[in-house]
């Protein structure tokens, strides 16, 4: 039988662990394959010169408990590349590992207990080469479907599944959902505030709005459970659903005495690793996890991400402030708008899923983490699971994760840019620079040679500046893995050339090569991550040292060809574009440095401040890249963010600071005339601790106290929205919850002009000689970009 794996879980039946592989058969039936052949285990690393046979006897004598140990065997493995003999201890059930590892660690002669913290079903997948989001073949017999399990068929495996070469993805049933809550006291609380709307969109054309009966949400939640049961989605997607929608629904269901039985075992969602919720037999994917990795979107709201990805333009959709939802629900006329807003939230969520899921599926398949976990796991954990799978194939033991003291090292080279505006600038990127450096110089924890152990300098690579040494032979753990990843990516890209860019095959392969690139490029950062099992500061330090040397050599080559280097950062160079010279530069870099460098993008116009990592550039398609120039953070008003974005756009597109100055003056006039909506003036800040712990009363704390006095309830972690009112006192004395401000004439417009709009605008305009007075008093100066050309 052939099937595609969607989710993996396990249970213990009659003292036997049972791995449950939830998936889709090639005939489209939803199934689960039960495998009862596998047993949990861990390793004991003996102290040097220990008598292994005596240690085995000691372990046999000590390891006694509720369930018998199934095996204590001496096996050969490698630890950081060195051959070792270790003792493998096989247990009866997964829960025994935690119990027996503590006993084993205290046995005299035991240096370390290893691989005792690997989750049982992940251990099963690693050892049996079982991969999520991939097709497998298994010998199995059909058995009865247990009561309340939501699958077409259940199979008992006669052997472990074997992965097969097959690139297609079955037709998946995908459901996007979003909830709205009644919140007259600010942040909604499930113990008190009902869910009033659940909006649903599926990939089979369903668009459904489930609504409460006034403020009674019992039937609404029951209808939601019924819809999930009937539609039976394989993947449920939400936006920030692991942090809000699911915990809210779970708690609200408890208050109402409802079972939120939405899994394929008719169980409730459960909090799991990495902060995600597990819905057994389905993949619960929180798209916010992937949105966090889109650097171009600074404020990761659903509407901002949908706008950026081209799913739904922000200016074409209904926008309602979260704290105003209850008011729209209570007003029969406004409720229609609220329903449209909820509908568009679900449509946006589904649209984002359509863009992101193909990549998520390929990343899951590559790394080996199930689809519901791959987004929630940090980049470090994704790399680590990939390394753990590779370690098993290389017979390498997985090191323990241990706490390490904070340690810094010199990073990548970042050049000071040539200040001003430059036109026709090419950004040249080294292809996988750090992975290629690690391969070239065999940089790996298992190839590192401490200074006192260097016997022959001809047999090691010595890093510039830091002088860390790495054996030239044999190939290290990282070299083997990175070589495999880069070769795999090259094969995928070669395969892509066979298909037109608009074909399904091309899209799948493109998402696959992106997943490979992400993991390969993250391996360097992983080596310097303090939480890494294979952490080695010397590895990270040596890699960046060779990186700095590479960039410096590349700059010399560029300057020798007469290319004007404007800026350089980590693995990229910004140069004045001259096609002939750039093409020659690319060839020489390949010949002399052994690395590929290619044109990543060409800016029509780019503006640099004198500071590193701060620039904005106009692309040929009209899009604008903004890096490091944002004066606007989450605690700035929307109007300040809007002003800065528009100033950047006007400066780059029109080639004149004059238009930008006039625009800022216009906004200031509108503000003074009371024509800027209150919603754009709200400042948001999170309450991070008990009010009594704030040494100085901050504006948001004062506003929070006023909210509580007005009958609202707040907890640590809630966001407070406030505006600044006129007056002469401290800011905290004038910070007022926006919900309590009924008269817009009370707003201190001078505060917003001088502390929000002007600082945001001058972040860009001051480099063109524009002053605060020019924006306030009306002083003018004719300035074009060409006065500031680099």
């Amino acid at each position: 039988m052939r099937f595609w794996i969607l989710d993996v879980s396990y249970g213990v039946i009659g003292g036997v662990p049972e791995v449950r592989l939830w998936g889709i058969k090639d005939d489209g039936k939803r199934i689960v394959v039960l495998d009862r052949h596998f047993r949990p285990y861990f390793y004991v690393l003996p102290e040097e010169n220990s008598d292994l046979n005596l240690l085995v006897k000691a372990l046999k004598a000590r390891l006694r408990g509720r369930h018998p140990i199934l095996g204590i065997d001496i096996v050969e493995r490698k630890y950081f590349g060195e051959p070792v003999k270790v003792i493998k201890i096989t247990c009866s059930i997964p829960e025994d590992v935690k119990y027996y590892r503590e006993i084993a660690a205290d046995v005299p002669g035991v240096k370390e207990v290893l691989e005792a913290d690997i989750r049982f079903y992940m251990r099963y997948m690693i050892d049996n080469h079982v991969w999520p989001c991939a097709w497998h073949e298994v010998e199995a017999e059909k058995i009865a479907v247990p009561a309340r399990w939501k699958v077409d068929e259940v199979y008992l495996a006669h052997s472990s599944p074997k992965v097969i070469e097959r690139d297609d993805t079955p037709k998946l049933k995908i459901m996007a959902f979003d909830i709205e809550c009644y919140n007259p006291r600010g942040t909604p609380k499930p113990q008190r505030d009902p869910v009033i709307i659940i909006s649903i969109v599926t990939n089979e054309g369903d668009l459904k709005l489930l609504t409460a009966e006034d403020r009674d949400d019992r039937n609404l939640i029951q209808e939601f459970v019924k819809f999930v049961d009937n539609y039976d989605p394989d993947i449920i997607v939400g936006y920030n659903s692991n942090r809000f929608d699911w915990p809210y629904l779970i708690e609200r269901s408890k208050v109402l005495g409802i079972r939120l039985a939405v899994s394929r075992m008719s169980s409730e969602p459960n909090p799991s690793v990495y902060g995600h919720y597990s819905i057994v037999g389905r993949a619960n994917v929180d798209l916010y996890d992937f949105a966090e990795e889109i650097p171009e979107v600074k404020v990761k709201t659903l509407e901002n991400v949908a706008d950026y990805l081209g799913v739904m333009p922000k200016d074409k959709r209904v926008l309602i402030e979260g704290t105003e939802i209850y008011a729209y629900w209570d007003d029969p006329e406004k409720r229609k708008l609220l329903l449209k807003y909820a509908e568009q939230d679900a449509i946006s969520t589904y649209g984002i899923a359509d863009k992101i899921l193909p990549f998520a599926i390929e990343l899951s398949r590559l790394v080996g983490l199930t689809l519901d976990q791959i987004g929630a796991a940090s980049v470090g954990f994704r790399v680590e699971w990939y390394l753990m799978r590779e370690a098993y194939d290389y017979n390498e033991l997985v090191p323990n994760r241990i706490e390490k003291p904070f340690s810094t090292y010199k990073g990548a080279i970042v050049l000071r840019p040539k200040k001003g505006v430059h036109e026709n600038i090419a950004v040249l990127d080294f292809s996988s620079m750090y992975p290629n450096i690690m391969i070239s110089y065999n940089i790996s924890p298992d190839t590192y040679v401490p200074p006192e152990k260097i016997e022959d300098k001809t047999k090691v690579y010595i890093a510039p500046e830091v002088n860390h040494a790495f054996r030239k032979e044999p190939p290290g753990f990282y070299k083997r893995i990175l070589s495999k990843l880069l070769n795999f990516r090259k094969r995928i890209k070669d395969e892509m050339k066979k298909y037109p860019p608009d074909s399904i095959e091309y899209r799948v392969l493109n998402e696959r090569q992106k997943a490979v690139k992400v993991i390969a490029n993250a391996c360097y950062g992983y080596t310097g991550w303090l939480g890494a099992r294979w952490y080695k500061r010397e590895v990270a330090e040596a890699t960046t040292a060779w990186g700095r040397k590479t960039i410096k050599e590349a700059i010399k080559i560029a300057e020798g060809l007469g290319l004007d280097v404007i800026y350089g950062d980590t693995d990229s160079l910004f140069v004045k574009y001259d096609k002939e010279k750039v093409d020659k530069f690319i060839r020489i870099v390949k010949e002399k440095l052994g690395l590929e460098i290619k044109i990543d993008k060409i800016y029509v116009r780019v503006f640099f401040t004198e500071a590193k990592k701060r620039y904005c550039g106009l692309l040929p398609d009209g899009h604008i890249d903004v890096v490091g120039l944002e004066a606007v953070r989450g605690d700035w008003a929307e109007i300040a963010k809007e002003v800065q974005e528009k100033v950047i756009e006007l400066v780059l597109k029109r080639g004149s600071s004059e238009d930008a100055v006039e625009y800022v003056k216009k906004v200031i006039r509108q503000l003074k005339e009371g024509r800027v909506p209150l919603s754009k003036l709200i400042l948001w800040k999170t309450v991070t601790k008990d009010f009594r712990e704030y040494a100085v009363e901050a504006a948001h704390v004062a506003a929070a106290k006023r909210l509580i006095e007005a009958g609202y309830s707040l907890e640590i972690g809630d966001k407070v929205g406030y505006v600044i009112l006129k007056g002469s006192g401290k800011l905290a004395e004038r910070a007022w919850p926006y919900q309590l401000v009924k008269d817009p004439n009370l707003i201190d417009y001078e505060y917003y002009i001088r502390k929000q709009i002007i600082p945001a605008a001058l972040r860009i305009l001051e480099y063109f000689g524009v002053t605060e007075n020019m924006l306030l008093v009306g002083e003018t100066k004719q300035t074009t970009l060409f006065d500031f050309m680099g």
Side-chain angles (χ1 to χ4, degrees), residues 79-188:
Y79 195 39
F80 287 102
E82 296 294 326
V84 290
K85 286 188 176 180
V86 290
I87 298 166
K88 181 180 178 182
I89 297 174
T90 307
C91 303
S92 297
I93 61 171
E95 286 70 22
D96 284 350
V97 172
K98 186 182 288 187
Y99 174 74
Y100 285 121
R101 74 181 180 189
E102 301 299 327
I103 299 172
D106 288 335
V107 173
V110 171
K111 182 179 181 181
E112 209 172 353
V113 170
L114 297 170
E115 303 197 11
D117 59 349
I118 298 175
R119 300 190 296 281
F120 175 64
Y121 63 90
M122 290 299 295
R123 174 85 276 170
Y124 168 88
M125 287 199 287
I126 290 170
D127 289 25
N128 290 291
H129 297 93
V130 168
W131 301 85
C133 298
W135 288 95
H136 295 73
E137 196 169 64
V138 65
E139 286 183 21
E141 64 174 299
K142 190 188 290 189
I143 60 173
V145 177
R148 301 177 73 181
W149 283 29
K150 307 292 182 181
V151 289
D152 299 315
E153 296 168 350
V154 177
Y155 290 86
L156 184 64
H158 284 201
S159 60
S160 297
K162 298 287 180 279
V163 71
I164 55 176
E165 284 296 322
R166 185 168 162 181
D167 286 340
D168 62 311
T169 299
K171 182 168 171 45
L172 299 165
K173 296 178 78 174
I174 301 166
M175 179 189 114
F177 83 106
D178 188 74
I179 72 170
E180 308 298 341
C181 305
Y182 190 79
N183 56 341
R185 299 178 185 85
T187 305

Side-chain angles (χ1 to χ4, degrees), residues 219-253:
N219 286 342
L220 162 65
I221 294 176
Q222 288 175 333
E223 281 295 309
F224 176 68
V225 173
K226 188 177 175 184
F227 183 91
V228 174
D229 187 39
N230 290 337
Y231 182 66
D232 192 26
D234 302 303
I235 302 174
I236 301 178
V237 296
Y239 192 86
N240 204 33
S241 50
N242 281 328
R243 299 159 184 82
F244 180 73
D245 302 65
W246 284 122
Y248 201 98
L249 284 171
I250 290 164
E251 285 306 307
R252 188 67 190 154
S253 298

Side-chain angles (χ1 to χ4, degrees), residues 57-68:
K57 285 181 182 177
L59 287 165
K60 283 180 176 176
R62 295 281 291 276
L63 298 180
R64 300 185 183 280
R66 297 161 296 177
H67 305 105

Side-chain angles (χ1 to χ4, degrees), residues 332-404:
E333 282 305 308
K334 283 186 172 179
R335 186 181 288 192
K336 295 172 188 172
L337 208 57
L338 178 61
L339 292 171
K340 189 70 179 171
Y341 167 79
E343 179 184 291
Q344 289 177 341
D345 273 358
I347 292 170
S348 294
T349 301
Y350 177 77
I352 293 170
D354 190 52
K355 303 278 187 183
I356 286 174
L357 277 178
F359 171 73
I361 285 170
E362 293 303 329
L363 193 60
S364 169
R365 178 177 175 173
L366 173 70
V367 170
L369 278 174
T370 51
L371 187 56
D372 62 338
Q373 294 179 31
I374 195 67
S378 69
V379 174
F381 283 122
R382 292 175 197 168
V383 171
E384 192 158 270
W385 280 111
Y386 182 81
L387 294 178
M388 286 163 72
R389 282 182 172 268
E390 291 293 314
Y392 178 81
D393 289 345
Y394 289 130
N395 220 21
E396 276 276 350
L397 291 166
V398 176
N400 287 322
R401 184 176 290 109
I402 55 174
E403 283 191 30
K404 294 169 278 287

Side-chain angles (χ1 to χ4, degrees), residues 183-187 323 684-685 687 691 699-715 718-722 735-741:
N183 56 341
R185 299 178 185 85
T187 305
T323 48
W684 291 96
K685 193 89 174 177
V687 177
F691 295 144
H700 73 291
V701 175
K705 288 180 178 178
R706 291 186 176 103
L707 263 182
I708 291 168
E709 287 167 12
Y712 290 76
S713 65
L714 285 172
E715 295 176 5
D718 287 348
K719 278 192 171 184
V720 177
Y722 62 96
W736 221 258
Y738 75 92
Q739 300 98 319
L740 307 182
V741 177

